[in-house]
Structures are given as structure tokens and as C-alpha cells.
Short mmCIF file of all heavy atoms in Angstrom, two decimals:
data_model
loop_
_atom_site.label_atom_id
_atom_site.label_comp_id
_atom_site.label_asym_id
_atom_site.label_seq_id
_atom_site.Cartn_x
_atom_site.Cartn_y
_atom_site.Cartn_z
N ASP A 1 107.82 121.21 106.35
CA ASP A 1 108.74 121.95 105.56
C ASP A 1 110.11 121.28 105.71
O ASP A 1 110.79 121.45 106.70
CB ASP A 1 108.75 123.42 106.03
CG ASP A 1 109.64 124.33 105.19
OD1 ASP A 1 110.56 123.78 104.51
OD2 ASP A 1 109.38 125.52 105.14
N ASN A 2 110.45 120.51 104.74
CA ASN A 2 111.73 119.74 104.75
C ASN A 2 112.91 120.67 104.76
O ASN A 2 113.99 120.34 105.30
CB ASN A 2 111.78 118.75 103.63
CG ASN A 2 110.83 117.58 103.81
OD1 ASN A 2 110.33 117.38 104.90
ND2 ASN A 2 110.56 116.91 102.74
N GLY A 3 112.79 121.86 104.15
CA GLY A 3 113.86 122.82 104.14
C GLY A 3 114.17 123.38 105.54
O GLY A 3 115.29 123.78 105.86
N LYS A 4 113.11 123.37 106.40
CA LYS A 4 113.26 123.96 107.71
C LYS A 4 113.27 122.80 108.77
O LYS A 4 113.29 123.13 110.01
CB LYS A 4 112.16 124.91 108.05
CG LYS A 4 112.18 126.20 107.18
CD LYS A 4 111.08 127.12 107.57
CE LYS A 4 111.10 128.43 106.70
NZ LYS A 4 110.06 129.35 107.03
N ASN A 5 113.21 121.55 108.31
CA ASN A 5 113.21 120.42 109.27
C ASN A 5 112.13 120.54 110.29
O ASN A 5 112.36 120.25 111.49
CB ASN A 5 114.57 120.29 109.93
CG ASN A 5 115.69 119.97 108.98
OD1 ASN A 5 115.43 119.40 107.89
ND2 ASN A 5 116.86 120.39 109.28
N THR A 6 110.95 120.98 109.87
CA THR A 6 109.91 121.34 110.83
C THR A 6 108.52 120.77 110.29
O THR A 6 108.27 120.79 109.13
CB THR A 6 109.78 122.88 110.98
OG1 THR A 6 111.04 123.40 111.45
CG2 THR A 6 108.69 123.22 111.96
N VAL A 7 107.79 120.31 111.26
CA VAL A 7 106.44 119.84 111.05
C VAL A 7 105.48 120.78 111.80
O VAL A 7 105.79 121.25 112.85
CB VAL A 7 106.20 118.39 111.38
CG1 VAL A 7 106.42 118.14 112.87
CG2 VAL A 7 104.85 117.92 110.96
N PHE A 8 104.32 121.07 111.21
CA PHE A 8 103.35 121.99 111.72
C PHE A 8 102.03 121.31 111.96
O PHE A 8 101.68 120.36 111.32
CB PHE A 8 103.17 123.19 110.77
CG PHE A 8 104.44 123.89 110.44
CD1 PHE A 8 105.07 123.61 109.21
CD2 PHE A 8 104.96 124.88 111.22
CE1 PHE A 8 106.27 124.29 108.90
CE2 PHE A 8 106.09 125.57 110.91
CZ PHE A 8 106.77 125.27 109.75
N LEU A 9 101.23 121.91 112.87
CA LEU A 9 99.89 121.47 113.05
C LEU A 9 99.07 122.73 113.17
O LEU A 9 99.13 123.47 114.20
CB LEU A 9 99.68 120.60 114.25
CG LEU A 9 98.29 120.01 114.44
CD1 LEU A 9 97.97 119.01 113.37
CD2 LEU A 9 98.17 119.34 115.81
N GLN A 10 98.29 123.05 112.20
CA GLN A 10 97.33 124.17 112.22
C GLN A 10 96.07 123.68 112.81
O GLN A 10 95.41 122.74 112.32
CB GLN A 10 97.09 124.74 110.80
CG GLN A 10 96.08 125.86 110.77
CD GLN A 10 96.56 127.14 111.47
OE1 GLN A 10 97.75 127.56 111.29
NE2 GLN A 10 95.72 127.74 112.28
N MET A 11 95.64 124.30 113.93
CA MET A 11 94.43 123.90 114.63
C MET A 11 93.41 124.95 114.60
O MET A 11 93.68 126.06 115.15
CB MET A 11 94.79 123.48 116.05
CG MET A 11 95.88 122.48 116.13
SD MET A 11 96.18 121.84 117.86
CE MET A 11 96.71 123.35 118.66
N ASN A 12 92.28 124.72 114.01
CA ASN A 12 91.17 125.71 113.90
C ASN A 12 89.99 125.19 114.69
O ASN A 12 89.91 123.95 114.95
CB ASN A 12 90.84 125.97 112.47
CG ASN A 12 92.01 126.58 111.70
OD1 ASN A 12 92.82 127.34 112.26
ND2 ASN A 12 92.05 126.26 110.44
N SER A 13 89.03 126.04 114.96
CA SER A 13 87.78 125.65 115.60
C SER A 13 88.04 124.84 116.86
O SER A 13 87.42 123.79 117.12
CB SER A 13 86.85 124.95 114.64
OG SER A 13 86.62 125.66 113.49
N LEU A 14 88.96 125.29 117.65
CA LEU A 14 89.29 124.54 118.86
C LEU A 14 88.16 124.53 119.86
O LEU A 14 87.41 125.49 120.00
CB LEU A 14 90.54 125.13 119.52
CG LEU A 14 91.88 124.86 118.74
CD1 LEU A 14 92.95 125.84 119.11
CD2 LEU A 14 92.34 123.44 119.01
N ASN A 15 88.03 123.39 120.55
CA ASN A 15 87.07 123.29 121.59
C ASN A 15 87.71 122.74 122.88
O ASN A 15 88.91 122.28 122.82
CB ASN A 15 85.90 122.38 121.15
CG ASN A 15 86.38 120.99 120.77
OD1 ASN A 15 86.93 120.27 121.61
ND2 ASN A 15 86.13 120.65 119.48
N PRO A 16 87.08 122.86 124.03
CA PRO A 16 87.69 122.46 125.25
C PRO A 16 88.20 121.02 125.28
O PRO A 16 89.22 120.72 126.02
CB PRO A 16 86.56 122.64 126.32
CG PRO A 16 85.77 123.78 125.71
CD PRO A 16 85.76 123.53 124.27
N GLU A 17 87.58 120.13 124.48
CA GLU A 17 88.03 118.76 124.39
C GLU A 17 89.40 118.61 123.74
O GLU A 17 90.05 117.53 123.81
CB GLU A 17 87.04 117.87 123.71
CG GLU A 17 85.67 117.67 124.44
CD GLU A 17 84.86 118.92 124.51
OE1 GLU A 17 84.85 119.72 123.56
OE2 GLU A 17 84.14 119.11 125.59
N ASP A 18 89.90 119.68 123.11
CA ASP A 18 91.20 119.64 122.49
C ASP A 18 92.30 119.96 123.51
O ASP A 18 93.47 119.91 123.16
CB ASP A 18 91.21 120.65 121.37
CG ASP A 18 90.32 120.23 120.19
OD1 ASP A 18 90.27 119.06 119.83
OD2 ASP A 18 89.61 121.14 119.67
N THR A 19 91.92 120.33 124.71
CA THR A 19 92.92 120.68 125.74
C THR A 19 93.78 119.42 126.07
O THR A 19 93.25 118.35 126.35
CB THR A 19 92.21 121.13 127.02
OG1 THR A 19 91.56 122.36 126.71
CG2 THR A 19 93.22 121.33 128.14
N ALA A 20 95.08 119.59 125.93
CA ALA A 20 96.03 118.47 126.10
C ALA A 20 97.43 118.99 125.93
O ALA A 20 97.65 120.10 125.48
CB ALA A 20 95.76 117.34 125.11
N VAL A 21 98.37 118.11 126.26
CA VAL A 21 99.73 118.29 125.89
C VAL A 21 99.93 117.65 124.49
O VAL A 21 99.60 116.51 124.28
CB VAL A 21 100.72 117.76 126.90
CG1 VAL A 21 102.23 117.96 126.45
CG2 VAL A 21 100.51 118.34 128.28
N TYR A 22 100.45 118.44 123.58
CA TYR A 22 100.64 117.97 122.22
C TYR A 22 102.12 117.67 122.02
O TYR A 22 102.97 118.47 122.31
CB TYR A 22 100.18 119.02 121.22
CG TYR A 22 98.65 119.08 121.12
CD1 TYR A 22 97.91 119.57 122.15
CD2 TYR A 22 98.02 118.61 120.01
CE1 TYR A 22 96.53 119.64 122.09
CE2 TYR A 22 96.67 118.61 119.89
CZ TYR A 22 95.89 119.14 120.91
OH TYR A 22 94.52 119.14 120.85
N TYR A 23 102.37 116.50 121.46
CA TYR A 23 103.75 116.01 121.22
C TYR A 23 103.94 115.68 119.73
O TYR A 23 102.98 115.25 119.02
CB TYR A 23 104.00 114.70 121.95
CG TYR A 23 103.81 114.72 123.49
CD1 TYR A 23 102.54 114.52 124.06
CD2 TYR A 23 104.93 115.00 124.28
CE1 TYR A 23 102.46 114.55 125.44
CE2 TYR A 23 104.76 115.01 125.66
CZ TYR A 23 103.57 114.81 126.21
OH TYR A 23 103.45 114.86 127.61
N CYS A 24 105.13 115.88 119.28
CA CYS A 24 105.47 115.43 117.91
C CYS A 24 106.35 114.21 118.01
O CYS A 24 107.08 114.00 118.96
CB CYS A 24 106.06 116.55 117.08
SG CYS A 24 107.73 117.06 117.46
N ARG A 25 106.22 113.39 117.01
CA ARG A 25 107.00 112.18 116.95
C ARG A 25 107.59 112.04 115.56
O ARG A 25 106.95 112.28 114.55
CB ARG A 25 106.17 110.95 117.24
CG ARG A 25 106.95 109.66 117.30
CD ARG A 25 106.05 108.41 117.46
NE ARG A 25 105.55 107.97 116.16
CZ ARG A 25 105.05 106.71 115.97
NH1 ARG A 25 105.02 105.86 116.99
NH2 ARG A 25 104.64 106.38 114.77
N ALA A 26 108.87 111.60 115.48
CA ALA A 26 109.53 111.29 114.24
C ALA A 26 109.77 109.77 114.25
O ALA A 26 110.26 109.21 115.24
CB ALA A 26 110.86 112.05 114.13
N ARG A 27 109.43 109.12 113.14
CA ARG A 27 109.58 107.63 113.08
C ARG A 27 110.18 107.27 111.71
O ARG A 27 109.73 107.70 110.66
CB ARG A 27 108.22 106.99 113.25
CG ARG A 27 108.26 105.48 113.22
CD ARG A 27 106.91 104.88 113.49
NE ARG A 27 105.99 105.21 112.34
CZ ARG A 27 105.91 104.51 111.24
NH1 ARG A 27 106.68 103.38 111.07
NH2 ARG A 27 105.09 104.82 110.31
#
């Protein structure tokens, strides 16, 4: 959402292998 200067990640059907620290990067 460029108006809110925000990026999102919708995560569904999560499983234990998705366990992690999640980081965002701007490039």
C-alpha cells in the first residue's frame, strides 16, 4: 500500500516449517 508506505505478507495454511523470524527488505 504505497499510500501507507507499508508492505504486507498474508500467510495462510501455515505449517511448522514456516517457523522463523520474518524480515522485510527495501531495495
Side-chain angles (χ1 to χ4, degrees):
D1 185 334
N2 289 342
K4 296 181 178 180
N5 297 332
T6 301
V7 62
F8 305 96
L9 186 67
Q10 177 67 43
M11 306 188 295
N12 299 326
S13 302
L14 286 160
N15 58 63
E17 290 70 36
D18 295 316
T19 295
V21 178
Y22 283 71
Y23 300 89
C24 71
R25 185 186 85 161
R27 184 179 64 86

